[in-house]
Amino acid sequence: TTLKTLKLRYNEIRDQGAKALASAIEGHPCLESINLGNNIIGSEGAEELARAIAANGKIKKLDLRYNVIGPSLPDSFSSLTSLEVLDIRANRLTSLPKSLGTLTNLKELVVERNHELKPSTLGSISNAVELLKAIKEQEDSGTGGAEQPGGQGAEQPTGAKAMEVEPSS
């Protein structure tokens, strides 16, 4: 099959469903982009997805916005070496693994609306200065709200911008 993009937003996919998807993703030869935003995937499902995506080695874009991942992003995300875009906005993250900074192909990391994620937890990521500035701007602008991940209409414009991460040399 030549499927390159998989979009499964707003399907109430939970950890068990994410695990089932992981086994299909792992051996898919052409898949480059996965959008699982606005579901109910927690850390357990996210970890299985990350393992499968790492084994696949071809996926460049992963969108897990508006899920319930947290309080930490699983360490397995640091093995996603082919990833160029990672969108984990509006989850329940309080920290990111230090090893995330080793993803040399990562060009865009979106973490906005993780209200408990503080700039001090981003210190080891490549070009952390830009990330810190973006988080600070978000905090200063008061963006975000009480909307819970996974709910209908949860995605609202926030005014915060995606954070660009340039690969380190």
Side-chain angles (χ1 to χ4, degrees):
T1 180
T2 58
L3 180 70
K4 291 187 177 190
T5 301
L6 177 64
K7 294 181 181 181
L8 291 170
R9 293 181 65 190
Y10 295 104
N11 281 293
E12 297 185 12
I13 298 169
R14 299 174 188 270
D15 286 340
Q16 283 303 108
K19 289 177 186 179
L21 279 170
S23 61
I25 289 168
E26 186 171 344
H28 198 288
C30 300
L31 199 56
E32 295 178 356
S33 177
I34 300 171
N35 188 331
L36 293 169
N38 302 82
N39 282 294
I40 314 167
I41 300 169
S43 294
E44 192 176 314
E47 182 160 1
E48 290 300 316
L49 287 167
R51 286 183 184 155
I53 291 167
N56 176 290
K58 293 182 168 99
I59 295 166
K60 296 178 181 178
K61 182 177 181 183
L62 177 59
D63 188 335
L64 289 169
R65 72 177 91 179
Y66 290 93
N67 276 285
V68 292
I69 302 165
S72 298
L73 189 68
D75 286 331
S76 54
F77 274 72
S78 19
S79 61
L80 303 180
T81 56
S82 62
L83 215 56
E84 294 177 4
V85 177
L86 176 59
D87 189 337
I88 48 175
R89 79 180 91 183
N91 277 279
R92 297 179 178 168
L93 297 170
T94 60
S95 66
L96 299 175
K98 292 179 181 179
S99 53
L100 202 60
T102 64
L103 298 180
T104 56
N105 289 321
L106 193 63
K107 293 180 173 78
E108 184 177 352
L109 173 62
V110 186
V111 298
E112 63 196 29
R113 292 189 71 147
N114 282 286
H115 301 294
E116 300 301 318
L117 186 64
K118 301 299 178 201
S120 60
T121 66
L122 302 173
S124 62
I125 295 177
S126 301
N127 293 326
V129 173
E130 290 300 314
L131 287 170
L132 294 172
K133 187 186 332 180
I135 291 286
K136 179 73 173 129
E137 287 172 6
Q138 179 184 349
E139 287 175 349
D140 290 345
S141 68
T143 58
E147 190 71 49
Q148 291 299 314
Q152 284 277 341
E155 185 173 320
Q156 298 292 324
T158 65
K161 296 183 173 105
M163 289 164 256
E164 299 287 335
V165 178
E166 296 296 325
S168 53
S169 304

Short mmCIF file of all heavy atoms in Angstrom, two decimals, residues 6-35:
data_model
loop_
_atom_site.label_atom_id
_atom_site.label_comp_id
_atom_site.label_asym_id
_atom_site.label_seq_id
_atom_site.Cartn_x
_atom_site.Cartn_y
_atom_site.Cartn_z
N LEU A 6 -1.93 9.21 7.81
CA LEU A 6 -3.01 8.59 8.57
C LEU A 6 -3.58 9.63 9.52
O LEU A 6 -2.86 10.17 10.36
CB LEU A 6 -2.47 7.39 9.37
CG LEU A 6 -3.46 6.66 10.27
CD1 LEU A 6 -4.57 6.02 9.44
CD2 LEU A 6 -2.73 5.61 11.10
N LYS A 7 -4.87 9.96 9.37
CA LYS A 7 -5.53 10.95 10.22
C LYS A 7 -6.70 10.27 10.93
O LYS A 7 -7.65 9.83 10.29
CB LYS A 7 -6.06 12.12 9.39
CG LYS A 7 -4.97 12.94 8.75
CD LYS A 7 -5.55 14.11 7.97
CE LYS A 7 -4.45 14.91 7.30
NZ LYS A 7 -5.01 16.05 6.55
N LEU A 8 -6.60 10.20 12.25
CA LEU A 8 -7.64 9.57 13.07
C LEU A 8 -8.03 10.47 14.24
O LEU A 8 -8.15 10.01 15.37
CB LEU A 8 -7.15 8.20 13.57
CG LEU A 8 -6.99 7.13 12.50
CD1 LEU A 8 -6.28 5.91 13.06
CD2 LEU A 8 -8.35 6.74 11.93
N ARG A 9 -8.23 11.74 13.97
CA ARG A 9 -8.61 12.69 15.02
C ARG A 9 -10.07 12.46 15.43
O ARG A 9 -10.87 11.98 14.65
CB ARG A 9 -8.44 14.12 14.52
CG ARG A 9 -6.98 14.48 14.31
CD ARG A 9 -6.82 15.89 13.83
NE ARG A 9 -7.26 16.83 14.86
CZ ARG A 9 -7.41 18.12 14.66
NH1 ARG A 9 -7.16 18.64 13.49
NH2 ARG A 9 -7.82 18.89 15.63
N TYR A 10 -10.39 12.85 16.66
CA TYR A 10 -11.76 12.82 17.19
C TYR A 10 -12.41 11.44 17.10
O TYR A 10 -13.57 11.31 16.72
CB TYR A 10 -12.66 13.84 16.45
CG TYR A 10 -12.27 15.27 16.67
CD1 TYR A 10 -11.59 15.98 15.69
CD2 TYR A 10 -12.58 15.91 17.86
CE1 TYR A 10 -11.24 17.30 15.88
CE2 TYR A 10 -12.22 17.24 18.07
CZ TYR A 10 -11.55 17.92 17.07
OH TYR A 10 -11.21 19.23 17.28
N ASN A 11 -11.69 10.41 17.45
CA ASN A 11 -12.25 9.05 17.41
C ASN A 11 -12.31 8.38 18.78
O ASN A 11 -12.54 7.18 18.85
CB ASN A 11 -11.45 8.18 16.43
CG ASN A 11 -11.85 8.45 15.00
OD1 ASN A 11 -12.96 8.16 14.60
ND2 ASN A 11 -10.94 9.05 14.25
N GLU A 12 -12.04 9.13 19.83
CA GLU A 12 -12.08 8.60 21.19
C GLU A 12 -11.15 7.39 21.35
O GLU A 12 -11.45 6.45 22.09
CB GLU A 12 -13.50 8.28 21.63
CG GLU A 12 -14.37 9.52 21.65
CD GLU A 12 -15.77 9.29 22.18
OE1 GLU A 12 -16.04 8.21 22.75
OE2 GLU A 12 -16.59 10.20 22.03
N ILE A 13 -10.02 7.42 20.66
CA ILE A 13 -9.02 6.36 20.77
C ILE A 13 -8.34 6.46 22.12
O ILE A 13 -7.90 7.54 22.52
CB ILE A 13 -7.99 6.45 19.63
CG1 ILE A 13 -8.68 6.26 18.28
CG2 ILE A 13 -6.87 5.43 19.82
CD1 ILE A 13 -7.81 6.58 17.08
N ARG A 14 -8.30 5.36 22.82
CA ARG A 14 -7.66 5.29 24.14
C ARG A 14 -6.36 4.50 24.02
O ARG A 14 -5.94 4.16 22.93
CB ARG A 14 -8.62 4.64 25.14
CG ARG A 14 -9.91 5.43 25.30
CD ARG A 14 -10.91 4.69 26.18
NE ARG A 14 -12.19 5.38 26.18
CZ ARG A 14 -12.54 6.33 27.02
NH1 ARG A 14 -11.71 6.71 27.97
NH2 ARG A 14 -13.72 6.89 26.94
N ASP A 15 -5.75 4.19 25.16
CA ASP A 15 -4.48 3.46 25.16
C ASP A 15 -4.56 2.13 24.42
O ASP A 15 -3.66 1.79 23.66
CB ASP A 15 -3.98 3.25 26.59
CG ASP A 15 -3.43 4.52 27.21
OD1 ASP A 15 -3.08 5.46 26.45
OD2 ASP A 15 -3.33 4.58 28.44
N GLN A 16 -5.62 1.37 24.63
CA GLN A 16 -5.75 0.06 23.96
C GLN A 16 -5.79 0.23 22.45
O GLN A 16 -5.18 -0.54 21.71
CB GLN A 16 -6.99 -0.68 24.46
CG GLN A 16 -6.81 -1.31 25.82
CD GLN A 16 -5.64 -2.27 25.89
OE1 GLN A 16 -4.63 -1.97 26.51
NE2 GLN A 16 -5.74 -3.40 25.25
N GLY A 17 -6.54 1.22 21.98
CA GLY A 17 -6.61 1.48 20.54
C GLY A 17 -5.27 1.93 19.99
O GLY A 17 -4.88 1.55 18.88
N ALA A 18 -4.54 2.74 20.77
CA ALA A 18 -3.22 3.20 20.34
C ALA A 18 -2.26 2.02 20.22
O ALA A 18 -1.44 1.96 19.30
CB ALA A 18 -2.68 4.24 21.31
N LYS A 19 -2.37 1.07 21.14
CA LYS A 19 -1.51 -0.12 21.09
C LYS A 19 -1.81 -0.93 19.84
O LYS A 19 -0.90 -1.44 19.18
CB LYS A 19 -1.71 -0.97 22.33
CG LYS A 19 -1.14 -0.36 23.59
CD LYS A 19 -1.44 -1.24 24.78
CE LYS A 19 -1.00 -0.58 26.07
NZ LYS A 19 -1.30 -1.41 27.24
N ALA A 20 -3.09 -1.07 19.50
CA ALA A 20 -3.47 -1.80 18.28
C ALA A 20 -2.94 -1.09 17.04
O ALA A 20 -2.43 -1.74 16.12
CB ALA A 20 -4.99 -1.95 18.22
N LEU A 21 -3.04 0.23 17.02
CA LEU A 21 -2.51 1.00 15.89
C LEU A 21 -1.00 0.85 15.78
O LEU A 21 -0.45 0.80 14.68
CB LEU A 21 -2.84 2.48 16.06
CG LEU A 21 -4.23 2.91 15.65
CD1 LEU A 21 -4.48 4.34 16.10
CD2 LEU A 21 -4.39 2.80 14.15
N ALA A 22 -0.33 0.79 16.93
CA ALA A 22 1.14 0.69 16.94
C ALA A 22 1.62 -0.51 16.15
O ALA A 22 2.59 -0.41 15.38
CB ALA A 22 1.65 0.63 18.38
N SER A 23 0.96 -1.63 16.29
CA SER A 23 1.42 -2.82 15.57
C SER A 23 1.25 -2.66 14.07
O SER A 23 2.07 -3.15 13.29
CB SER A 23 0.69 -4.08 16.07
OG SER A 23 -0.69 -3.96 15.85
N ALA A 24 0.22 -1.94 13.63
CA ALA A 24 0.03 -1.68 12.21
C ALA A 24 1.05 -0.67 11.68
O ALA A 24 1.55 -0.80 10.56
CB ALA A 24 -1.39 -1.18 11.96
N ILE A 25 1.35 0.33 12.50
CA ILE A 25 2.28 1.39 12.10
C ILE A 25 3.70 0.85 11.93
O ILE A 25 4.42 1.22 11.01
CB ILE A 25 2.25 2.53 13.14
CG1 ILE A 25 0.93 3.28 13.04
CG2 ILE A 25 3.45 3.46 12.99
CD1 ILE A 25 0.68 4.23 14.20
N GLU A 26 4.10 -0.02 12.83
CA GLU A 26 5.49 -0.49 12.86
C GLU A 26 5.96 -1.05 11.52
O GLU A 26 7.06 -0.75 11.08
CB GLU A 26 5.64 -1.57 13.94
CG GLU A 26 7.06 -2.00 14.15
CD GLU A 26 7.22 -2.89 15.37
OE1 GLU A 26 6.31 -2.94 16.21
OE2 GLU A 26 8.28 -3.54 15.45
N GLY A 27 5.13 -1.83 10.86
CA GLY A 27 5.56 -2.45 9.62
C GLY A 27 5.08 -1.77 8.36
O GLY A 27 5.25 -2.31 7.27
N HIS A 28 4.48 -0.60 8.49
CA HIS A 28 3.97 0.08 7.30
C HIS A 28 5.11 0.76 6.55
O HIS A 28 5.76 1.65 7.08
CB HIS A 28 2.90 1.11 7.67
CG HIS A 28 2.06 1.50 6.51
ND1 HIS A 28 2.53 2.28 5.49
CD2 HIS A 28 0.79 1.18 6.18
CE1 HIS A 28 1.60 2.44 4.59
NE2 HIS A 28 0.52 1.78 4.99
N PRO A 29 5.34 0.39 5.29
CA PRO A 29 6.53 0.87 4.57
C PRO A 29 6.49 2.30 4.05
O PRO A 29 7.54 2.88 3.79
CB PRO A 29 6.63 -0.11 3.39
CG PRO A 29 5.22 -0.54 3.15
CD PRO A 29 4.57 -0.56 4.51
N CYS A 30 5.31 2.90 3.89
CA CYS A 30 5.22 4.21 3.24
C CYS A 30 4.72 5.34 4.14
O CYS A 30 4.76 6.50 3.74
CB CYS A 30 4.30 4.13 2.02
SG CYS A 30 4.87 2.95 0.79
N LEU A 31 4.26 5.03 5.32
CA LEU A 31 3.64 6.01 6.20
C LEU A 31 4.65 7.08 6.63
O LEU A 31 5.74 6.76 7.10
CB LEU A 31 3.06 5.31 7.42
CG LEU A 31 2.01 6.04 8.23
CD1 LEU A 31 0.83 6.45 7.37
CD2 LEU A 31 1.53 5.14 9.36
N GLU A 32 4.29 8.35 6.45
CA GLU A 32 5.17 9.47 6.81
C GLU A 32 4.57 10.41 7.85
O GLU A 32 5.29 11.15 8.51
CB GLU A 32 5.51 10.30 5.56
CG GLU A 32 6.33 9.55 4.54
CD GLU A 32 6.59 10.37 3.29
OE1 GLU A 32 6.08 11.51 3.17
OE2 GLU A 32 7.30 9.86 2.41
N SER A 33 3.23 10.41 7.97
CA SER A 33 2.56 11.37 8.84
C SER A 33 1.39 10.69 9.56
O SER A 33 0.58 10.02 8.93
CB SER A 33 2.04 12.55 8.01
OG SER A 33 1.33 13.46 8.81
N ILE A 34 1.34 10.91 10.90
CA ILE A 34 0.27 10.34 11.71
C ILE A 34 -0.36 11.46 12.53
O ILE A 34 0.34 12.18 13.24
CB ILE A 34 0.81 9.25 12.65
CG1 ILE A 34 1.46 8.13 11.85
CG2 ILE A 34 -0.30 8.71 13.55
CD1 ILE A 34 2.20 7.12 12.70
N ASN A 35 -1.69 11.58 12.44
CA ASN A 35 -2.41 12.57 13.22
C ASN A 35 -3.43 11.84 14.08
O ASN A 35 -4.43 11.32 13.58
CB ASN A 35 -3.10 13.58 12.30
CG ASN A 35 -3.71 14.72 13.07
OD1 ASN A 35 -4.09 14.57 14.22
ND2 ASN A 35 -3.79 15.88 12.43
#
